[in-house]
Amino acid sequence: MFTSVRTTQNALRNKKISVRDVVSHFLTKINEKNKDLNVFLTLNEDESYELAKKYDGLLKENPDQIFEKYPLLGCIVSFKDLFLTKGLRTTAGSKVLDSFIPPYSAKVVDKIKKAGAIIIGKTNCDAWAHGASGENSDFGPTLNPWNKAYVPGGSSSGSAVSVAAGFNHVSFGTDTGGSIRQPANFCGIYGLKPTYGSVSRYGVIAMASSLDTVGHFGNNISDIENVFKISSGVDLCDATLKDEDKKQKDNITVGIPKQYFEKGVDQVVSDKVHEAIKIFEKNNYKFKEVNLPNTKHAISVYYIIQPAEVCSNLGRYDGIRFGNPRNSFGAEAKRRIILGNFVLSSGYYDAYYKKATQVRTLIINELDKAFDEVDLLIAPVSPSQPFKLGEKVNDPLKMYLSDVLTVPANIAGIPGLSVPFGIHNGLSLGFQLMGPRFSEKLIFKMARDFESFTNYKFEPPKF
Amino acid sequence: MLYNSEDLLNMIHLTKSDILHLAKLSGLTLTEKEVKELSYDLSSVITFFEELKETNTKNILPTSQTTGLENITRADKIDTNQTLSLEDVMYNANDNKNNLFKVPIILKK
C-alpha cells in the first residue's frame, strides 16, 4: 500500500487509508530507524501533518477530481539538503550553513508541492555535493541499508537511502558527475539524471553550473516518470532550461560502448550488464558495439572543469549575509576550491582549463556520432559494487576515479538512468541507460520494458 | 583507465608556497597540516591530468555549455513574487545594524 505512489493513491481513492495514515506510516518508520542510517538532517513533521489534514478534507469533498488538480497527492518526498526550502533549514551537508533558514524555495520544490506532494524532510549528502560515498558530509556519513559497513554512494546519499529504506516514495537529488546514478546503483533503486536544462535548478545550491542537474530517486520506473514530468519545464528563473522532446520509436537499437567494460571494471559488474543485455535480446532489442575512445579522458576533463566552477560558486560564502565564515569549509571543499583556482590561474589556464574544455568538445562529438548509429547506450554505473566506509576516504584520486562511468553524461549534458538489477554478496547491482539530449521518454520505455521482462518487484533491504 | 603508482615517480609538485598562494586567492586560511596534505593530494591529481596531453585539440573549439541556448532573458519588470522583504533578507545575517550588514574591516587607517 505504501510502496509506490500508484498503490498509495489507489488506496486513498478506495478510502482504505487517509493521507494522514500515509504521513504517519513514513514518519513512524523514520523516527524509529533514521538513527541507524543517518538519512535525514531535518524533518518537516508539523507541515506534513498540516498538509495531510488539508488533503484529507479535499479528498472528502471532491474525491473524483482531486487527483487531476493534485497529481502527486499522497506522494511523500524528500529533498537532498541542497534544495532551498522556505522556512526549513538547508545545510548543503556543510557546517558553513548549519543554521541557514532559506527565505524562499527552489522552483522544483514549489512545483512538487503545488502538485500535491508532501515534503517530509531534508536528506544528508556529501558537503556541497562533493563526493561519491557520503563520507564528506559534515553531519556524519549515511550508511548503506543493505550492509551498514558499506557506503551508500554519493553525493545524494541520504536521498538514495531514503527510498531504499522505505522512508518515502520518492526523493530529489542532484547529479553533477554521477551523484544520483551511483548512489541509486549502490542502494538497489532507480536514479534519473535528466538532460542538462530539463529541470529547473533555481534555488538549488550550485556546485558546477555547466554540469549540475536535478533528478529523482524511486523504487519503480513509473514513479520516476511521473515526478520527472511534473518537475521539468521552462520557468524563466533558470536560463538554461529548454522544452524539448525527442520522438518516440518502437524498434530501439542499443549501443554497447566497449570502453565502459574495460580494465578497472569488476567482472561481477560487467557480467550483470551482459545478463541484462541477453534479456533484452531475447525480447527483440537489437544491440551494437560502439567505440567511444575519448571516454578515458572524461575523469581528467571532469576534475578540471568541475573544481573550476566549484571555486567560483563557493566564492559567495563569506559568512556575512548568511552562513558561517570560510574556515568552516571541510577538507574536500577546500581541496576543490584550491584545485579550481589552480587550473584557472594565469600560466596554467591553457594547459588545464582550456585543454579540458576542448577535450569536452571531443567527448560530446564522439557521443553525438554514436547516437547517429544507435538510439540509446547501456553500460555499468560504477566500476565496482559499494565499497567499505573509510576504504577510499584518504585517497582523493582513488575516490575521484570511481566516477569514471558516470561523468561522461554530465560532460555531454545527456540523460542517464540507473536501473537496479540483482544482488551479489548482499549488495546491489544494476546498469545505466544513456541517450541523446531529451531522450528521457525512450529511456523510460526501455526501463519499463525491462520491468515487465523481469517481472520486477522492489525488494527492500532488511536493516 | 586507472592510474598506477609508477606515475607518482614523475609527479608534478605543488609546493607549499604554491598552496599558500592558491589559498590566498581562494580566501582560505590553512593549517600547516592542511598545506602538507593538499600539496601531496593535489600533486597526484594534477599529475593524473597529464594524460590529457596525448589528445590532439588543434582547431577544436572549447565547450562551456551544452544547451546551445543564447541570451535567455526575461522581461525587465519587477516580479513581486520573486522579491524578498527586508526582514527575510536580514534574517540569516550574523551581525547587522539598522538593516545593514556588518562586514569585517578591510582597510586600515
Side-chain angles (χ1 to χ4, degrees), chain A residues 100-101 196 202 210 237 239 241-242 259 296-297 299-300 303 319 321-323 326 334 337 341-342 352 355 357-358 361 404, chain B residues 1 3 14 22 26-27 34 41 46 48-49 51-52 54-55 57 60-64 66-67 69 72 82 92-94 101:
Chain A
F100 175 61
I101 310 288
Y196 180 87
Y202 178 80
S210 84
C237 288
L241 294 174
K242 210 171 170 180
Q259 285 79 8
K296 64 172 181 292
H297 303 304
I299 279 287
S300 295
Y303 275 98
R321 290 159 303 143
F322 55 87
R326 289 178 79 76
K334 284 182 184 164
I337 293 170
N341 275 317
F342 170 75
Y352 294 100
K355 181 82 179 178
T357 57
Q358 287 173 308
T361 307
V404 62
Chain B
M1 270 179 216
Y3 84 113
L14 277 184
L22 289 164
S26 308
E34 284 176 320
D41 289 343
I46 289 161
F48 179 80
F49 295 157
E51 61 92 16
L52 277 186
E54 70 179 61
T55 57
T57 48
I60 299 292
L61 290 173
T63 295
S64 55
T66 56
T67 60
L69 295 169
I72 302 300
Q82 298 269 59
N92 284 289
N94 282 325
F101 295 113

Short mmCIF file of all heavy atoms in Angstrom, two decimals, chain A residues 100-101 196 202 210 237 239 241-242 259 296-297 299-300 303 319 321-323 326 334 337 341-342 352 355 357-358 361 404, chain B residues 1 3 14 22 26-27 34 41 46 48-49 51-52 54-55 57 60-64 66-67 69 72 82 92-94 101:
data_model
loop_
_atom_site.label_atom_id
_atom_site.label_comp_id
_atom_site.label_asym_id
_atom_site.label_seq_id
_atom_site.Cartn_x
_atom_site.Cartn_y
_atom_site.Cartn_z
N PHE A 100 21.27 27.74 8.51
CA PHE A 100 20.70 28.60 7.48
C PHE A 100 19.22 28.27 7.21
O PHE A 100 18.87 27.12 6.93
CB PHE A 100 21.52 28.45 6.18
CG PHE A 100 20.94 29.20 5.01
CD1 PHE A 100 20.80 30.59 5.05
CD2 PHE A 100 20.53 28.53 3.87
CE1 PHE A 100 20.26 31.28 3.97
CE2 PHE A 100 19.99 29.21 2.78
CZ PHE A 100 19.86 30.58 2.84
N ILE A 101 18.37 29.27 7.32
CA ILE A 101 16.93 29.09 7.04
C ILE A 101 16.62 29.86 5.75
O ILE A 101 16.61 31.10 5.76
CB ILE A 101 16.05 29.65 8.19
CG1 ILE A 101 16.50 29.13 9.56
CG2 ILE A 101 14.57 29.34 7.92
CD1 ILE A 101 16.20 27.68 9.84
N TYR A 196 20.66 17.88 -19.19
CA TYR A 196 21.02 19.21 -18.67
C TYR A 196 20.06 20.23 -19.28
O TYR A 196 19.91 20.30 -20.50
CB TYR A 196 22.47 19.53 -19.07
CG TYR A 196 22.92 20.89 -18.57
CD1 TYR A 196 23.46 21.04 -17.30
CD2 TYR A 196 22.80 22.01 -19.37
CE1 TYR A 196 23.87 22.28 -16.84
CE2 TYR A 196 23.20 23.26 -18.92
CZ TYR A 196 23.73 23.39 -17.65
OH TYR A 196 24.13 24.62 -17.20
N TYR A 202 16.85 26.59 -10.18
CA TYR A 202 16.67 27.83 -9.41
C TYR A 202 16.43 27.49 -7.94
O TYR A 202 15.54 26.69 -7.62
CB TYR A 202 15.49 28.62 -9.97
CG TYR A 202 15.19 29.90 -9.21
CD1 TYR A 202 15.95 31.04 -9.44
CD2 TYR A 202 14.17 29.95 -8.28
CE1 TYR A 202 15.69 32.21 -8.74
CE2 TYR A 202 13.90 31.12 -7.58
CZ TYR A 202 14.66 32.24 -7.81
OH TYR A 202 14.40 33.40 -7.12
N SER A 210 27.89 24.23 -15.23
CA SER A 210 27.71 23.70 -16.58
C SER A 210 27.44 22.19 -16.56
O SER A 210 27.24 21.57 -17.60
CB SER A 210 28.91 24.02 -17.47
OG SER A 210 29.94 23.08 -17.31
N CYS A 237 13.49 31.27 -14.57
CA CYS A 237 14.33 31.58 -13.42
C CYS A 237 15.70 30.94 -13.61
O CYS A 237 16.71 31.46 -13.17
CB CYS A 237 13.71 31.06 -12.14
SG CYS A 237 12.28 32.02 -11.66
N ALA A 239 18.07 30.08 -16.59
CA ALA A 239 18.15 30.45 -18.01
C ALA A 239 18.64 29.32 -18.91
O ALA A 239 18.72 29.50 -20.12
CB ALA A 239 19.05 31.67 -18.17
N LEU A 241 17.11 26.40 -19.20
CA LEU A 241 16.03 25.45 -19.44
C LEU A 241 15.50 25.50 -20.87
O LEU A 241 15.47 26.54 -21.51
CB LEU A 241 14.88 25.70 -18.47
CG LEU A 241 15.17 25.42 -17.00
CD1 LEU A 241 14.01 25.85 -16.14
CD2 LEU A 241 15.48 23.96 -16.78
N LYS A 242 15.04 24.36 -21.32
CA LYS A 242 14.57 24.21 -22.69
C LYS A 242 13.44 23.17 -22.65
O LYS A 242 13.53 22.19 -21.91
CB LYS A 242 15.75 23.64 -23.48
CG LYS A 242 15.80 24.03 -24.94
CD LYS A 242 17.15 23.56 -25.47
CE LYS A 242 17.21 23.67 -26.96
NZ LYS A 242 18.52 23.21 -27.47
N GLN A 259 34.46 0.71 -24.21
CA GLN A 259 35.35 1.32 -23.22
C GLN A 259 34.76 1.32 -21.81
O GLN A 259 35.49 1.52 -20.84
CB GLN A 259 35.69 2.76 -23.62
CG GLN A 259 36.68 2.89 -24.77
CD GLN A 259 36.06 2.67 -26.14
OE1 GLN A 259 34.83 2.57 -26.28
NE2 GLN A 259 36.90 2.58 -27.16
N LYS A 296 38.13 7.65 -21.85
CA LYS A 296 39.21 7.56 -20.85
C LYS A 296 39.69 8.95 -20.38
O LYS A 296 40.33 9.07 -19.35
CB LYS A 296 40.38 6.73 -21.37
CG LYS A 296 41.11 7.28 -22.57
CD LYS A 296 42.37 6.41 -22.80
CE LYS A 296 43.20 6.90 -23.97
NZ LYS A 296 42.53 6.73 -25.27
N HIS A 297 39.36 9.99 -21.14
CA HIS A 297 39.75 11.33 -20.72
C HIS A 297 38.69 12.03 -19.86
O HIS A 297 38.90 13.14 -19.39
CB HIS A 297 40.04 12.22 -21.94
CG HIS A 297 41.10 11.65 -22.84
ND1 HIS A 297 42.36 11.34 -22.38
CD2 HIS A 297 41.08 11.33 -24.15
CE1 HIS A 297 43.07 10.85 -23.38
NE2 HIS A 297 42.32 10.83 -24.46
N ILE A 299 37.47 11.59 -16.86
CA ILE A 299 37.79 11.92 -15.46
C ILE A 299 38.63 13.19 -15.38
O ILE A 299 38.35 14.10 -14.59
CB ILE A 299 38.51 10.73 -14.77
CG1 ILE A 299 37.47 9.71 -14.32
CG2 ILE A 299 39.35 11.17 -13.57
CD1 ILE A 299 36.64 10.11 -13.12
N SER A 300 39.66 13.28 -16.23
CA SER A 300 40.51 14.49 -16.19
C SER A 300 39.70 15.72 -16.56
O SER A 300 39.79 16.76 -15.91
CB SER A 300 41.68 14.35 -17.17
OG SER A 300 42.53 13.31 -16.77
N TYR A 303 37.39 16.55 -13.62
CA TYR A 303 38.04 17.06 -12.41
C TYR A 303 38.89 18.31 -12.65
O TYR A 303 39.60 18.77 -11.76
CB TYR A 303 38.80 15.94 -11.67
CG TYR A 303 37.83 15.20 -10.77
CD1 TYR A 303 37.24 14.00 -11.17
CD2 TYR A 303 37.41 15.76 -9.57
CE1 TYR A 303 36.30 13.36 -10.37
CE2 TYR A 303 36.48 15.13 -8.76
CZ TYR A 303 35.92 13.93 -9.16
OH TYR A 303 34.99 13.32 -8.37
N GLY A 319 30.21 34.36 4.91
CA GLY A 319 29.80 34.42 6.32
C GLY A 319 29.24 35.77 6.74
O GLY A 319 29.13 36.04 7.93
N ARG A 321 26.38 37.79 4.81
CA ARG A 321 24.92 37.89 4.64
C ARG A 321 24.20 36.68 5.21
O ARG A 321 23.07 36.75 5.65
CB ARG A 321 24.60 38.06 3.15
CG ARG A 321 25.02 39.42 2.61
CD ARG A 321 25.17 39.38 1.12
NE ARG A 321 26.13 38.35 0.75
CZ ARG A 321 26.01 37.58 -0.33
NH1 ARG A 321 24.98 37.72 -1.13
NH2 ARG A 321 26.93 36.67 -0.60
N PHE A 322 24.87 35.54 5.16
CA PHE A 322 24.30 34.33 5.78
C PHE A 322 25.43 33.32 5.96
O PHE A 322 26.51 33.47 5.37
CB PHE A 322 23.18 33.72 4.90
CG PHE A 322 23.61 33.44 3.48
CD1 PHE A 322 24.21 32.24 3.14
CD2 PHE A 322 23.43 34.39 2.48
CE1 PHE A 322 24.62 31.99 1.84
CE2 PHE A 322 23.82 34.15 1.17
CZ PHE A 322 24.43 32.94 0.85
N GLY A 323 25.21 32.31 6.78
CA GLY A 323 26.20 31.25 6.95
C GLY A 323 27.38 31.63 7.81
O GLY A 323 27.50 32.77 8.27
N ARG A 326 34.44 31.29 6.12
CA ARG A 326 35.02 30.30 5.21
C ARG A 326 35.87 29.23 5.89
O ARG A 326 36.11 28.18 5.30
CB ARG A 326 35.85 31.02 4.12
CG ARG A 326 34.97 31.77 3.13
CD ARG A 326 35.77 32.53 2.09
NE ARG A 326 36.29 31.70 1.01
CZ ARG A 326 35.58 31.22 0.00
NH1 ARG A 326 34.29 31.45 -0.07
NH2 ARG A 326 36.15 30.50 -0.95
N LYS A 334 37.66 22.51 0.51
CA LYS A 334 38.92 23.27 0.41
C LYS A 334 39.76 22.73 -0.74
O LYS A 334 40.33 23.49 -1.52
CB LYS A 334 39.71 23.16 1.72
CG LYS A 334 39.15 24.02 2.83
CD LYS A 334 40.00 23.90 4.08
CE LYS A 334 39.39 24.68 5.23
NZ LYS A 334 39.94 24.33 6.51
N ILE A 337 38.26 23.90 -4.05
CA ILE A 337 38.41 25.35 -4.26
C ILE A 337 39.85 25.64 -4.70
O ILE A 337 40.09 26.36 -5.66
CB ILE A 337 38.06 26.14 -2.97
CG1 ILE A 337 36.57 25.99 -2.64
CG2 ILE A 337 38.42 27.62 -3.14
CD1 ILE A 337 36.17 26.53 -1.27
N ASN A 341 41.08 26.97 -8.39
CA ASN A 341 41.86 28.19 -8.59
C ASN A 341 43.19 27.90 -9.27
O ASN A 341 43.70 28.73 -10.01
CB ASN A 341 42.07 28.92 -7.26
CG ASN A 341 40.87 29.82 -6.94
OD1 ASN A 341 40.36 30.52 -7.82
ND2 ASN A 341 40.41 29.78 -5.71
N PHE A 342 43.73 26.69 -9.05
CA PHE A 342 44.98 26.32 -9.74
C PHE A 342 44.75 26.20 -11.25
O PHE A 342 45.46 26.81 -12.04
CB PHE A 342 45.53 25.00 -9.18
CG PHE A 342 46.66 24.45 -10.00
CD1 PHE A 342 47.93 25.02 -9.93
CD2 PHE A 342 46.46 23.38 -10.87
CE1 PHE A 342 48.98 24.54 -10.70
CE2 PHE A 342 47.50 22.89 -11.64
CZ PHE A 342 48.76 23.47 -11.57
N TYR A 352 45.44 23.44 -18.58
CA TYR A 352 44.44 22.64 -17.87
C TYR A 352 43.01 23.02 -18.29
O TYR A 352 42.33 22.25 -18.95
CB TYR A 352 44.63 22.77 -16.35
CG TYR A 352 45.93 22.17 -15.90
CD1 TYR A 352 47.04 22.97 -15.64
CD2 TYR A 352 46.07 20.78 -15.77
CE1 TYR A 352 48.25 22.41 -15.25
CE2 TYR A 352 47.27 20.22 -15.38
CZ TYR A 352 48.35 21.03 -15.12
OH TYR A 352 49.54 20.48 -14.74
N LYS A 355 42.33 23.29 -22.17
CA LYS A 355 42.50 21.96 -22.76
C LYS A 355 41.29 21.07 -22.41
O LYS A 355 40.75 20.38 -23.26
CB LYS A 355 43.80 21.34 -22.20
CG LYS A 355 44.13 19.96 -22.75
CD LYS A 355 44.80 20.05 -24.09
CE LYS A 355 45.15 18.67 -24.63
NZ LYS A 355 45.76 18.73 -25.96
N THR A 357 38.24 21.96 -21.70
CA THR A 357 37.01 22.35 -22.41
C THR A 357 37.07 21.92 -23.88
O THR A 357 36.03 21.67 -24.49
CB THR A 357 36.75 23.88 -22.31
OG1 THR A 357 37.88 24.57 -22.84
CG2 THR A 357 36.49 24.31 -20.89
N GLN A 358 38.29 21.82 -24.42
CA GLN A 358 38.41 21.32 -25.80
C GLN A 358 38.18 19.81 -25.86
O GLN A 358 37.50 19.32 -26.76
CB GLN A 358 39.80 21.66 -26.36
CG GLN A 358 39.96 23.13 -26.69
CD GLN A 358 41.39 23.46 -27.07
OE1 GLN A 358 42.33 23.13 -26.35
NE2 GLN A 358 41.56 24.11 -28.22
N THR A 361 34.65 18.99 -25.88
CA THR A 361 34.06 19.01 -27.23
C THR A 361 34.25 17.67 -27.93
O THR A 361 33.33 17.15 -28.56
CB THR A 361 34.71 20.14 -28.07
OG1 THR A 361 34.62 21.36 -27.33
CG2 THR A 361 34.02 20.29 -29.42
N VAL A 404 34.25 7.37 -13.03
CA VAL A 404 34.66 7.27 -14.44
C VAL A 404 33.53 6.96 -15.42
O VAL A 404 33.52 7.46 -16.54
CB VAL A 404 35.84 6.25 -14.57
CG1 VAL A 404 35.41 4.86 -14.13
CG2 VAL A 404 36.38 6.21 -15.98
N MET B 1 42.31 2.59 -17.58
CA MET B 1 41.77 3.84 -17.10
C MET B 1 42.32 4.23 -15.74
O MET B 1 42.27 5.37 -15.34
CB MET B 1 40.25 3.72 -16.98
CG MET B 1 39.52 4.11 -18.23
SD MET B 1 37.78 3.90 -17.93
CE MET B 1 37.27 3.33 -19.53
N TYR B 3 45.06 4.82 -12.68
CA TYR B 3 46.45 5.27 -12.59
C TYR B 3 47.28 4.23 -11.86
O TYR B 3 46.76 3.42 -11.12
CB TYR B 3 46.49 6.62 -11.87
CG TYR B 3 46.51 6.57 -10.37
CD1 TYR B 3 47.63 6.98 -9.68
CD2 TYR B 3 45.42 6.10 -9.66
CE1 TYR B 3 47.64 6.94 -8.30
CE2 TYR B 3 45.43 6.05 -8.29
CZ TYR B 3 46.56 6.48 -7.60
OH TYR B 3 46.58 6.44 -6.24
N LEU B 14 53.14 20.48 -6.45
CA LEU B 14 52.64 21.77 -5.99
C LEU B 14 53.33 22.01 -4.65
O LEU B 14 53.12 21.25 -3.70
CB LEU B 14 51.12 21.72 -5.79
CG LEU B 14 50.24 21.92 -7.03
CD1 LEU B 14 48.78 21.95 -6.62
CD2 LEU B 14 50.60 23.21 -7.73
N LEU B 22 47.64 29.86 -3.62
CA LEU B 22 46.28 29.49 -4.06
C LEU B 22 45.27 29.70 -2.93
O LEU B 22 44.13 30.12 -3.17
CB LEU B 22 46.24 28.03 -4.53
CG LEU B 22 46.96 27.76 -5.86
CD1 LEU B 22 47.22 26.26 -6.05
CD2 LEU B 22 46.14 28.30 -7.03
N SER B 26 41.94 31.96 -2.85
CA SER B 26 40.68 31.30 -2.53
C SER B 26 39.99 31.87 -1.30
O SER B 26 38.89 31.44 -0.96
CB SER B 26 40.91 29.80 -2.29
OG SER B 26 41.62 29.23 -3.36
N GLY B 27 40.66 32.79 -0.61
CA GLY B 27 40.08 33.33 0.62
C GLY B 27 40.02 32.28 1.72
O GLY B 27 39.08 32.27 2.52
N GLU B 34 47.17 20.98 6.82
CA GLU B 34 46.35 21.04 5.60
C GLU B 34 47.21 21.39 4.39
O GLU B 34 47.02 20.84 3.31
CB GLU B 34 45.24 22.10 5.76
CG GLU B 34 44.09 21.63 6.64
CD GLU B 34 43.05 22.73 6.86
OE1 GLU B 34 43.43 23.90 7.05
OE2 GLU B 34 41.85 22.41 6.86
N ASP B 41 48.11 15.63 -2.05
CA ASP B 41 46.89 15.15 -2.74
C ASP B 41 46.73 15.81 -4.11
O ASP B 41 46.47 15.14 -5.11
CB ASP B 41 45.64 15.47 -1.92
CG ASP B 41 45.54 14.62 -0.66
OD1 ASP B 41 46.25 13.60 -0.59
OD2 ASP B 41 44.76 14.98 0.23
N ILE B 46 46.90 16.40 -10.16
CA ILE B 46 47.36 17.17 -11.33
C ILE B 46 48.28 16.31 -12.21
O ILE B 46 48.24 16.41 -13.43
CB ILE B 46 48.05 18.47 -10.85
CG1 ILE B 46 46.97 19.41 -10.30
CG2 ILE B 46 48.80 19.16 -11.98
CD1 ILE B 46 47.50 20.48 -9.40
N PHE B 48 47.87 13.20 -12.65
CA PHE B 48 46.93 12.35 -13.40
C PHE B 48 46.44 13.08 -14.65
O PHE B 48 46.27 12.48 -15.71
CB PHE B 48 45.76 11.96 -12.49
CG PHE B 48 44.72 11.11 -13.18
CD1 PHE B 48 44.92 9.75 -13.36
CD2 PHE B 48 43.55 11.69 -13.66
CE1 PHE B 48 43.98 8.97 -14.01
CE2 PHE B 48 42.59 10.92 -14.31
CZ PHE B 48 42.81 9.55 -14.49
N PHE B 49 46.23 14.40 -14.54
CA PHE B 49 45.73 15.18 -15.68
C PHE B 49 46.69 15.19 -16.87
O PHE B 49 46.29 15.54 -17.98
CB PHE B 49 45.48 16.66 -15.28
CG PHE B 49 44.39 16.87 -14.26
CD1 PHE B 49 44.39 18.02 -13.47
CD2 PHE B 49 43.37 15.95 -14.09
CE1 PHE B 49 43.38 18.24 -12.54
CE2 PHE B 49 42.37 16.16 -13.15
CZ PHE B 49 42.38 17.31 -12.37
N GLU B 51 47.63 12.97 -18.63
CA GLU B 51 47.18 12.09 -19.70
C GLU B 51 46.41 12.86 -20.80
O GLU B 51 46.31 12.39 -21.93
CB GLU B 51 46.35 10.92 -19.14
CG GLU B 51 45.07 11.31 -18.40
CD GLU B 51 43.85 11.35 -19.30
OE1 GLU B 51 43.92 10.79 -20.41
OE2 GLU B 51 42.85 11.96 -18.89
N LEU B 52 45.90 14.05 -20.46
CA LEU B 52 45.16 14.83 -21.47
C LEU B 52 46.07 15.31 -22.60
O LEU B 52 45.61 15.60 -23.69
CB LEU B 52 44.51 16.05 -20.82
CG LEU B 52 43.19 15.89 -20.10
CD1 LEU B 52 42.67 17.27 -19.68
CD2 LEU B 52 42.15 15.20 -20.97
N GLU B 54 48.00 13.82 -24.46
CA GLU B 54 48.06 12.96 -25.65
C GLU B 54 46.93 13.26 -26.65
O GLU B 54 46.98 12.82 -27.79
CB GLU B 54 48.01 11.48 -25.24
CG GLU B 54 46.66 11.06 -24.70
CD GLU B 54 46.58 9.58 -24.32
OE1 GLU B 54 47.36 9.18 -23.42
OE2 GLU B 54 45.78 8.86 -24.92
N THR B 55 45.90 14.02 -26.23
CA THR B 55 44.80 14.29 -27.17
C THR B 55 45.16 15.46 -28.07
O THR B 55 45.77 16.43 -27.64
CB THR B 55 43.50 14.67 -26.42
OG1 THR B 55 43.79 15.79 -25.60
CG2 THR B 55 42.99 13.53 -25.57
N THR B 57 44.03 18.56 -29.82
CA THR B 57 42.91 19.50 -29.73
C THR B 57 43.14 20.71 -30.64
O THR B 57 42.55 21.77 -30.44
CB THR B 57 42.69 19.98 -28.28
OG1 THR B 57 43.94 20.37 -27.73
CG2 THR B 57 42.09 18.90 -27.42
N ILE B 60 40.16 22.66 -32.25
CA ILE B 60 38.91 22.22 -31.60
C ILE B 60 38.39 23.36 -30.73
O ILE B 60 39.12 23.90 -29.90
CB ILE B 60 39.15 20.97 -30.72
CG1 ILE B 60 39.66 19.79 -31.57
CG2 ILE B 60 37.90 20.58 -29.94
CD1 ILE B 60 38.67 19.22 -32.56
N LEU B 61 37.14 23.73 -30.92
CA LEU B 61 36.57 24.81 -30.11
C LEU B 61 36.25 24.32 -28.71
O LEU B 61 35.81 23.18 -28.54
CB LEU B 61 35.28 25.33 -30.76
CG LEU B 61 35.42 26.10 -32.07
CD1 LEU B 61 34.05 26.38 -32.67
CD2 LEU B 61 36.18 27.41 -31.84
N PRO B 62 36.48 25.15 -27.69
CA PRO B 62 36.13 24.74 -26.34
C PRO B 62 34.61 24.70 -26.13
O PRO B 62 33.89 25.44 -26.80
CB PRO B 62 36.76 25.81 -25.45
CG PRO B 62 36.99 26.99 -26.33
CD PRO B 62 37.09 26.50 -27.73
N THR B 63 34.15 23.84 -25.22
CA THR B 63 32.72 23.80 -24.86
C THR B 63 32.57 24.36 -23.45
O THR B 63 33.24 23.91 -22.54
CB THR B 63 32.20 22.35 -24.86
OG1 THR B 63 32.25 21.84 -26.19
CG2 THR B 63 30.76 22.27 -24.35
N SER B 64 31.68 25.34 -23.29
CA SER B 64 31.42 25.81 -21.94
C SER B 64 29.99 25.52 -21.51
O SER B 64 29.66 25.61 -20.33
CB SER B 64 31.71 27.30 -21.81
OG SER B 64 30.97 28.01 -22.77
N THR B 66 26.14 23.09 -22.80
CA THR B 66 25.66 22.07 -23.72
C THR B 66 24.24 22.30 -24.23
O THR B 66 23.67 21.44 -24.90
CB THR B 66 25.69 20.67 -23.04
OG1 THR B 66 24.92 20.74 -21.84
CG2 THR B 66 27.10 20.24 -22.73
N THR B 67 23.64 23.46 -23.90
CA THR B 67 22.23 23.64 -24.30
C THR B 67 22.09 24.24 -25.68
O THR B 67 21.05 24.11 -26.31
CB THR B 67 21.50 24.59 -23.33
OG1 THR B 67 22.16 25.86 -23.38
CG2 THR B 67 21.52 24.08 -21.92
N LEU B 69 21.68 27.23 -26.12
CA LEU B 69 20.84 28.43 -25.95
C LEU B 69 21.72 29.67 -25.86
O LEU B 69 22.86 29.60 -25.40
CB LEU B 69 20.02 28.32 -24.66
CG LEU B 69 18.98 27.22 -24.59
CD1 LEU B 69 18.46 27.09 -23.16
CD2 LEU B 69 17.83 27.52 -25.53
N ILE B 72 19.19 34.13 -22.96
CA ILE B 72 17.84 33.93 -22.46
C ILE B 72 17.55 35.02 -21.42
O ILE B 72 18.24 35.10 -20.41
CB ILE B 72 17.70 32.54 -21.79
CG1 ILE B 72 18.06 31.43 -22.79
CG2 ILE B 72 16.29 32.33 -21.22
CD1 ILE B 72 17.20 31.39 -24.02
N GLN B 82 9.07 37.32 -6.67
CA GLN B 82 10.48 36.95 -6.66
C GLN B 82 11.31 37.87 -5.78
O GLN B 82 12.53 37.79 -5.80
CB GLN B 82 11.04 37.03 -8.09
CG GLN B 82 10.39 36.08 -9.05
CD GLN B 82 11.13 34.77 -9.09
OE1 GLN B 82 11.27 34.10 -8.09
NE2 GLN B 82 11.61 34.41 -10.25
N ASN B 92 19.24 35.85 8.14
CA ASN B 92 20.36 34.92 8.33
C ASN B 92 21.71 35.59 8.60
O ASN B 92 22.72 34.91 8.74
CB ASN B 92 20.49 34.00 7.10
CG ASN B 92 19.42 32.91 7.08
OD1 ASN B 92 19.45 31.98 7.89
ND2 ASN B 92 18.46 33.03 6.19
N ALA B 93 21.72 36.92 8.62
CA ALA B 93 22.99 37.62 8.82
C ALA B 93 23.45 37.47 10.27
O ALA B 93 22.65 37.57 11.20
CB ALA B 93 22.84 39.08 8.46
N ASN B 94 24.75 37.22 10.45
CA ASN B 94 25.26 37.05 11.81
C ASN B 94 25.28 38.37 12.57
O ASN B 94 25.10 38.41 13.77
CB ASN B 94 26.68 36.49 11.75
CG ASN B 94 26.67 35.01 11.46
OD1 ASN B 94 25.77 34.30 11.91
ND2 ASN B 94 27.63 34.55 10.69
N PHE B 101 24.25 45.12 6.68
CA PHE B 101 25.15 44.01 7.06
C PHE B 101 26.42 44.60 7.64
O PHE B 101 27.01 45.51 7.07
CB PHE B 101 25.53 43.17 5.83
CG PHE B 101 24.38 42.45 5.20
CD1 PHE B 101 23.93 42.81 3.93
CD2 PHE B 101 23.76 41.40 5.86
CE1 PHE B 101 22.87 42.13 3.34
CE2 PHE B 101 22.70 40.73 5.27
CZ PHE B 101 22.25 41.09 4.02
#
